[in-house]
Structure formats: structure tokens, C-alpha cells
Amino acid sequence: MTDRISLDDHLGTLDAPEGLKTVLRVVAGACVDIRKVVAEGALVGALGASGAVNVQDEEQKKLDVISNDILTAALLACHAVAGVASEEMETVQPADHAGDYLALFDPLDGSSNIDINAPVGTIVSVLRAPQGTPTEADFLQSGRSQVAALYALYGAQTMLVLTTGSGVKGFTLSADGEWRLTHDAIAVSPDTKEFAINMSNQRHWSEAVQRYVDGVLKGADGPRGKNFNMRWVAAMVADVHRILMRGGVFLYPWDRREPEKPGKLRLMYEGNPMALLVEQAGGKATTDGTQAILDVQPEQLHQRIPVALGSANEIDAYAGV
Ligand code: AFP
């Protein structure tokens, strides 16, 4: 086990600015701290609602708040970070010093899983910072501008999956608290027989999404000519991890429930970092099967988008229905 390369050693060999490596080390350390609180749950009084709602009008869990505080404090104390933005904070928080990077995050993705001891995770996107104190507009860079994206998955194992724009690597947290490389060159298989969508929203979907799902549900007896399996963890971080490990598609399409909202998931700290990871692993990450998430020009910090990502040939099939 200990002969496996550590995240620290990996970052040491990376052809990237020292400031970026520092940011990634800080994020990785904060994820270890979040993991500790997540793992202890009720023992440290961390389960349940915080009593507040966030800017998305969603009830915050105590662990949302705790995780947000841990990441925000760690990143704002990092000399390389000029500012942060989070799902849990209305607007951006500049650091009280200059820095070369901006970090955006969903500190604890999958909050509804917290109290049932199901997987949750942290998602982080890193962008270059402009000169001077960053404003909200400075964070509105397209996903292609990301210099790094990662998630930590607090599951049966604790894993950190990282891209700095040249492939995707997975690290597992060892018993002695060290991230160690366990998954080199993660690749999404181009074909799959697995799909992930919240079926309870079926009646709200567009005709095209209805047709696609109808086709996969018909399995070998339908137009696709093969049987599909369905999975839905209700934490994007865990659903995307499954796709990186064994292929599949993850769909959270626009639906008719709230027509003014283009989807449920957030572009800046869910869609973009996951899209960079999926593309770097050879998959496709789109809004509708064709438009790359990474090419969407953000207009708002908490902007929502439809998401269709995963195995490339299956995303093409989704686009073609
Ligand atoms: P929370 O972090 O608020 O629990 O949201 C999780 C999430 O944004 C994403 O991680 C899941 O894929 C999706 O919502 C689950 O949505 P459903 O509630 O429709 O299952």
C-alpha cells in the first residue's frame, strides 16, 4: 500500500504552477477534514437540518454548513487563492490578499443522502484569477477555462478524483490519512448498458427525453436491441464516479416543473467540474446530447443547466432520439 504514489508526490511531479499545486493540496486537506465530520455524523451532532435555507432556497443541512466553513476557511487562508464561491453562499468571497486562483465548490453534494448514511461528496472547480480583488463577474468563466477540477467521494472508500487538464487520476484515502494513487488514467468506456435518471420526474420531461428513456426501458425488445440497467444515487458525485469507473450515462434534463429553471444542477460548481473530468476521461458532457457543457458561457454564479454526460456513444444515442 505505502509504495503507491501519494497525491503530494504526484503534485510534485506535475508540470503546473506551484500556486495551483498549493490550492490542490489545500482542497485535498479540507476534504480529509470534511470526511472526518461526515464519518462521525451523529456522534458529533452533525446530522439534521441547520435551520437555514441557502441562496437556492434549499434547506441546508448542518453538514452543508460545516463543509462549507471548512473549505472556505482553508481556501481563503491559502496565499494562492484570490476568492471563493460556493453553492451555499449567495455571492463570492474575495480573500484579503492577492492570489492567482479562484475556487468554486459544492461543499457537500447529495445532502439528501446525509441522514441515511449514503454517499456524499465535495466538488471543486479551479479557475485563474484576474488582477485585483475578484468580483462575481470574474468567476463567470466558461468551463474550458478551468485549470483543475476534482471531487472527493465519501463512500465505502474515500476517494479524490482529479484532473489538471491532462487525464484523470483517482486517489484513495489510506488509514494513515494519506491520499494514494489507486486509479491511474481513468477512462470512461464508450459504450454502456447503464443509465441514471430520476424516473419520478418522467411526466415532466420533454418528448425527446421520454423517447430516449422509453427506448432503453424496452431493452432487447425495443429499438436499442439490448437490455439496460438503471442506477440513481441522488448524489451527482457518486453517479459520476460510477460512470468514470464502469461507464454509463447520467441525465438531469430540463423539465416542465419550473419552466423558468433550465435544470436542477448548477453550472459553475457541478456541471463544469464534472464535465471537465468526464471529457478528460474520454466521455462526453453535454446539456442536451450535443452542446458541450464546457462551452456554455455562464451568466450567473448559481446558474442551472440540464446535464447529459457519460459514455460517448450513449450520449450520441441520447442526442439522436
Ligand atoms: P443536494 O446536494 O441538494 O442534495 O442535491 C444533489 C443534486 O444536486 C445532485 O447531486 C443529484 O444528482 C441531484 O441533486 C438529485 O436530485 P433528485 O432530488 O431529483 O434525486
Side-chain angles (χ1 to χ4, degrees):
M1 187 271 288
T2 45
D3 58 351
R4 289 183 184 274
I5 185 169
S6 68
L7 175 64
D8 211 36
D9 289 344
H10 166 68
L11 292 174
T13 62
L14 206 62
D15 182 18
E18 283 309 314
L20 177 59
K21 297 179 188 181
T22 304
V23 175
L24 296 175
R25 287 190 180 101
V26 166
V27 170
C31 290
V32 173
D33 292 343
I34 293 171
R35 167 75 224 187
K36 282 182 194 147
V37 193
V38 168
E40 291 201 289
L43 289 175
V44 290
L47 299 190
S50 74
V53 291
N54 64 14
V55 60
Q56 338 270 343
D57 235 8
E58 296 163 345
E59 183 195 68
Q60 279 178 323
K61 303 279 188 181
K62 285 183 197 165
L63 270 172
D64 286 323
V65 177
I66 294 167
S67 306
N68 191 59
D69 289 350
I70 289 173
L71 256 179
T72 303
L75 282 165
L76 289 181
C78 170
H79 66 84
V81 173
V84 300
S86 162
E87 177 184 4
E88 305 301 338
M89 302 191 299
E90 186 161 356
T91 188
V92 304
Q93 278 206 31
D96 58 11
H97 52 255
D100 291 334
Y101 298 97
L102 305 174
L104 300 92
F105 45 86
D106 180 349
L108 204 63
D109 175 64
S111 302
S112 63
N113 282 355
I114 292 172
D115 294 341
I116 60 164
N117 197 5
V120 289
T122 297
I123 310 173
V124 181
S125 163
V126 184
L127 297 165
R128 280 194 195 83
Q131 298 286 317
T133 305
T135 64
E136 195 165 303
D138 294 320
F139 284 73
L140 301 182
Q141 304 177 33
S142 81
R144 295 257 174 242
S145 311
Q146 293 173 103
V147 291
L150 66 89
Y151 63 78
L153 172 60
Y154 313 118
Q157 296 100 46
T158 300
M159 286 195 64
L160 189 146
V161 176
L162 166 70
T163 183
T164 51
S166 173
V168 180
K169 293 191 185 296
F171 300 81
T172 303
L173 191 64
S174 70
D176 59 357
E178 193 77 60
W179 296 105
R180 299 225 172 250
L181 183 64
T182 46
H183 298 67
D184 207 357
I186 292 174
V188 178
S189 57
D191 293 298
T192 184
K193 292 182 176 179
E194 209 158 58
F195 71 106
I197 193 165
N198 183 342
M199 283 295 297
S200 68
N201 297 328
Q202 181 169 20
R203 69 190 185 285
H204 305 299
W205 298 333
S206 69
E207 295 303 314
V209 176
Q210 299 268 6
R211 267 197 310 279
Y212 171 77
V213 174
D214 194 47
V216 299
L217 289 178
K218 285 200 168 83
D221 302 328
R224 302 301 307 281
K226 61 180 181 179
N227 293 324
F228 281 77
N229 197 5
M230 199 196 87
R231 289 285 182 270
W232 186 251
V233 186
M236 186 190 197
V237 72
D239 279 312
V240 169
H241 188 69
R242 185 185 59 256
I243 288 167
L244 290 177
M245 293 297 109
R246 67 178 192 208
V249 288
F250 170 88
L251 308 169
Y252 215 119
W254 170 88
D255 68 43
R256 298 192 187 90
R257 275 172 299 176
E258 294 176 273
E260 75 287 356
K261 284 188 185 164
K264 175 174 184 190
L265 301 178
R266 277 52 61 113
L267 172 63
M268 300 304 293
Y269 37 79
E270 291 178 321
N272 275 341
M274 291 311 202
L276 188 61
L277 286 159
V278 168
E279 281 202 5
Q280 282 295 317
K284 285 193 176 176
T286 71
T287 57
D288 58 357
T290 54
Q291 189 200 19
I293 290 174
L294 295 179
D295 291 330
V296 173
Q297 179 53 49
E299 289 168 1
Q300 290 171 25
L301 190 58
H302 298 292
Q303 179 172 341
R304 293 170 191 262
I305 40 148
V307 172
L309 60 77
S311 295
N313 293 339
E314 196 55 35
I315 293 298
D316 289 345
Y318 178 74
V321 288

